[in-house]
Amino acid sequence: MKFLVCISNVPDTTTKIAFTPDNKEFNKAGVQFVINPWDEYALTRAIELKEAAGSGTVTVLNVGQADTEPNIRKALAIGADDAIRVDAVPQDAYFVAEQIAAIAKEGAYDVILMGKESIDYNGFQVHGMVGEMLGIPTVAPAMKLDMSGNTATLEREIEGGKEIVSVNTPFVASCQQPMCEPRIPNMRGIMTARTKPLKVVPAVGEPARTTVAEYALPPKKQGVKLIDAENAGELIKLLRNEAKVI
Amino acid sequence: MSVLVVVECADGEVKKSSLEVASYGADVAAMLGTTATAIAVGEANEANLAKLGEQGITKVLYDAEPRLKDFVNNAYTKLIATAAEQESAKIIVLANSNIGAAVGSRLSVRLKTSLATNVVELPKISGDQFTVKRGAFSGKAFSDVVLSGDRKIIAVKKNSTEAKHEAGKTAEVASFSAQLGDADFADAPKQVVMQDQAGGILLPEADRVVSGGRGMKGPENWGLIEDLAKALGAATACSKPVSDVDWRPHHEHVGQTGITVSPNLYIACGISGAIQHLAGVNSSKVIVVINKDPEAPFFKAADYGIVGDVFDVLPKLTAAVKALN
């Protein structure tokens, strides 16, 4: 079984978001980048399934420039076998999906996994685009993934419940908790990751279909109005008469 | 040319988020000088579909194929693509839901459209330039995105726009068939399991949410959260540490890697307000924080706050709500 796990390089979850003075780009100065937390579920689950089967490979794929390599190496340290980096700025979901689809097709991967969405762009689009480009099923978002031969059984979250879906390979799934407990690299993994293959390839396909004109921060809160705990019922009156939300 | 709106139904009712989407689609149609047609998915009821006229929908297409009751990615995609071709739709509007994202992303490739998800406002249209505002960086920012091409798909974030109600207006319900066959249902779910929702209110769609953190000290104390939620007609939620230790199920976890909510009222009880939690709630209109630690970072993001013991404050709030009603 050949697993392709797509990871994106995103600002750490605790990052205070700021933009360049013209508001056209995210300000990367001093920001720590991590593997997108949703993608960690995809990566760990692929490694677990490979280990359980006793055979197979896990390839990580990232669309990004050279500055994403520390996190690609981290994915290798967690347990992926090899990596591919498409050397390009990930312009939009469509552009990224084109890269993934091309590599998935060329490498004849059986299972293509990624996180539900990235915590920076919050697109939640790439999974379906890749599935459609390849003409294969997509299961998104998946909370559980088990494999038996070429058949996968997944739990797909729907509003208010879940669907149990079964699909044959090849397929795409976008992953979220509680699929697995994401692993962290151990010392041996970090040592071996240095020598695992990381191939860099150029981008393919058509240009992006969307462009960001401007970023903005949400309006600042006016400050908290404190109500005395002894007189907690007063809050309810304020919510009705002042905030008008109940 | 028209605007096609995807309307999700369950148990015969149109989902609240789909009423918002219908209203949004009708507004976009008005901006473009055209009309909005809806395509219904899920278990629909024709009388309720006709009522989409109140949101400004002119016509509703409905395929009575029984296998469309549950979500089937391929079948839904083909159904909507067929409707879009029939109606020569230039704009498709759907909810930024799990169904909307799964179908919208496939449709954008099949119909060669641009796509924006998590959209929070009506578009700005100026000549050929079509710009939408969407949430990014997990609720910590917004981006204005220019959509290229002459066909576009917009997925509207729940609770970000209000559904209008023009009483008495009705839409024409037209039967429609996408000629779906067995192959289109190959990825149909084997089983659908619905959870018991507190008071029947779906968390991602809820207008009001009462949420608990580690300050609640244990799952046995959740009755206090549920009592207030019930009195307010709110859904219940929790922070990540709470779902990590299984005090509450995962589907109640609100935050950066959980569910993002944007209710009118979010009441956080015993939650310190880590930045990852705020990412899931900071587009709520009014945030109330109850915490015994006056230094809890959540107070900085709150509109109203009570520094006090949740075990003492929550029953008082519940009693006050009951007194009000």
Side-chain angles (χ1 to χ4, degrees), chain A residues 120 132 138 164 177 242, chain B residues 106 110 137 148 190 257 304:
Chain A
D120 52 358
E132 185 71 19
T138 310
I164 318 291
Q177 73 275 54
E242 188 178 83
Chain B
R106 291 196 85 103
R110 195 170 300 186
F137 292 96
S148 69
K190 300 276 174 279
T257 53
Y304 297 96

Side-chain angles (χ1 to χ4, degrees), chain B residues 19-42:
Chain B
L19 294 176
E20 294 161 8
V21 163
S23 198
Y24 183 102
D27 286 347
V28 174
M31 291 168 87
L32 295 169
T34 181
T35 54
T37 300
I39 171 88
V41 296

Side-chain angles (χ1 to χ4, degrees), chain A:
Chain A
M1 198 63 59
K2 288 181 74 178
F3 293 91
L4 181 65
V5 178
C6 312
I7 61 169
S8 62
N9 195 54
V10 299
D12 179 71
T13 55
T14 57
T15 305
K16 211 169 166 201
I17 302 301
F19 301 105
T20 52
D22 62 1
N23 285 326
K24 293 216 182 283
E25 276 176 55
F26 174 65
N27 187 350
K28 291 183 179 178
V31 172
Q32 171 84 26
F33 280 78
V34 297
I35 299 174
N36 179 40
W38 302 98
D39 299 341
E40 292 183 337
Y41 293 97
L43 176 62
T44 296
R45 191 61 190 144
I47 296 166
E48 287 175 356
L49 289 168
K50 183 195 105 169
E51 287 171 353
S55 66
T57 55
V58 176
T59 302
V60 284
L61 168 60
N62 169 259
V63 180
Q65 293 177 297
D67 60 350
T68 69
E69 289 198 2
N71 280 327
I72 299 177
R73 289 281 171 209
K74 188 180 169 194
L76 292 169
I78 290 169
D81 300 293
D82 61 343
I84 301 169
R85 177 170 69 82
V86 177
D87 188 24
V89 176
Q91 297 163 34
D92 78 344
Y94 180 78
F95 177 82
V96 170
E98 284 184 308
Q99 312 312 317
I100 296 170
I103 285 178
K105 198 171 180 181
E106 194 190 318
Y109 289 93
D110 302 296
V111 181
I112 302 155
L113 301 181
M114 60 191 74
K116 179 193 168 195
E117 62 186 38
S118 67
I119 62 164
D120 52 358
Y121 193 75
N122 302 111
F124 194 16
Q125 304 174 3
V126 173
H127 53 90
M129 291 178 170
V130 172
E132 185 71 19
M133 286 169 184
L134 296 171
I136 61 177
T138 310
V139 182
M143 302 189 289
K144 201 172 171 202
L145 164 62
D146 290 307
M147 300 283 302
S148 164
N150 290 330
T151 304
T153 304
L154 300 105
E155 282 184 15
R156 175 180 184 279
E157 188 179 59
I158 51 174
E159 277 79 5
K162 63 187 177 190
E163 290 182 350
I164 318 291
V165 187
S166 111
V167 289
N168 291 332
T169 57
F171 68 90
V172 181
S174 74
C175 307
Q176 67 169 44
Q177 73 275 54
M179 182 172 277
C180 58
E181 189 57 49
R183 291 186 188 177
I184 50 171
N186 58 30
M187 195 40 88
R188 191 170 163 270
I190 294 167
M191 299 302 285
T192 55
R194 291 182 190 162
T195 54
K196 286 180 179 173
L198 193 171
K199 193 165 79 175
V200 179
V201 299
V204 296
E206 298 165 34
R209 290 178 176 177
T210 62
T211 43
V212 174
E214 193 178 44
Y215 286 104
L217 293 172
K220 278 218 160 57
K221 287 271 179 188
Q222 297 208 319
V224 58
K225 190 177 222 175
L226 288 175
I227 293 108
D228 185 14
E230 290 306 306
N231 202 6
E234 187 60 29
L235 170 70
I236 300 302
K237 285 184 194 151
L238 287 168
L239 291 177
R240 169 157 291 188
N241 301 322
E242 188 178 83
K244 300 191 186 345
V245 289
I246 62 171

